[in-house]
Amino acid sequence: MTPKELSSGLLRTLFIIVGISLTLFLLYKIAIVIVYLIIAMVFSLIANPLVQFFKKRLKFKNTLAVITTLLLFLLLIVSFILLFVPLIIAQSENLSLLDINSLENSFNNMITNISSYLEAHHINFKQLFDSSSLSSKINFTFIPDIFNGIINIVGNFGMGLASVLFISFFLLKEKDQAFRIFKFVLPINHKVKILASMEKIQHLLSRYFIGLLLQLLIILILYLVVFLIFGVDNAFIIALLCAVLNIIPYLGPLLGMIVASLLIMISGIGNDFINTTLPHTFYVICGMLVVQLIDNNLSQPIIFSKSTKSHPLEIFLVIICAGILFGITGMIIAVPSYTALKVIGKEFLPDNRIIKALTKDI
């Protein structure tokens, strides 16, 4: 190899590395736009049957069918949000009555009572608690701050919702035209495999999202039963909120328990915190744990394994790995992304032993 060829190869490699780096940097900067696009694509997949219903059954024009579908979904979202208005107002009134110093004194009294009980059984809990300096690190002013953060979340949600609806409008309205262009630019040698993959992916993802909605409905009903048994105020709204949080695999149920606990304790302001509010919250959490045991061992494995045709252990490992690599967003999109990759692998590498083992039921 001559020096000129060597220098040309190095320059070409350098340009490739710089190009890849710039591409990754740009993708990082516009990550939120990519998330909006992915959500819009999923939403379009769910909404498309309703658009087709309006077009074929009610003889709507394409644009009118898309607009009607989007308005129905927007109305559903607004109705869902309005459900939480009474809860927010009630908790705001409770927070206005909240005495941080009184709550901190109640917490310290609780520690003293626990310490006295354990010391009677020859366990020096107070010394252990004081040595950890935990009492000095606990700041109860975080409770009102949670609701201040909700305002920022609502603002970001509004902008994201508008972006997703705008993208979804064009994805639904110009679906046929975009599909024709897509088919035209496909390589001839792989066109049949790509189209077959898309059809299977759409079928499996539709089953997955229907299964997800069924799972959330089951969890909503079970949470509602638990909250009604223990007389929780605004039981349906809190159950609905916890069910929605359950969309986040494994982490969502924990967030739901934390949110439910905070709302129950805030609702109990004015009652005896040690003897009434705290035991009541503990019983509710135990009930929620029972619901999660039912979901994790019965409804979730059956629904997801049937809808995506994957083994429950397979789904568990995929979600955990996606969470480690990409955080909460990765956990949410792990199963649909993995399902799509399995279908593509089956079409393009059908003789690979690993892919053959993973896709035997597809």
Side-chain angles (χ1 to χ4, degrees), residues 327-345:
I328 293 178
T329 303
M331 297 177 75
I332 295 174
I333 66 173
V335 175
S337 300
Y338 176 67
T339 302
L341 289 175
K342 282 177 64 175
V343 172
I344 294 171

Side-chain angles (χ1 to χ4, degrees), residues 68 106 143 151 173 176 248 259 299 319 322:
T68 304
S106 297
I143 297 177
I151 298 175
K173 178 177 177 292
D176 295 336
I248 306 173
V259 170
S299 60
I319 292 174

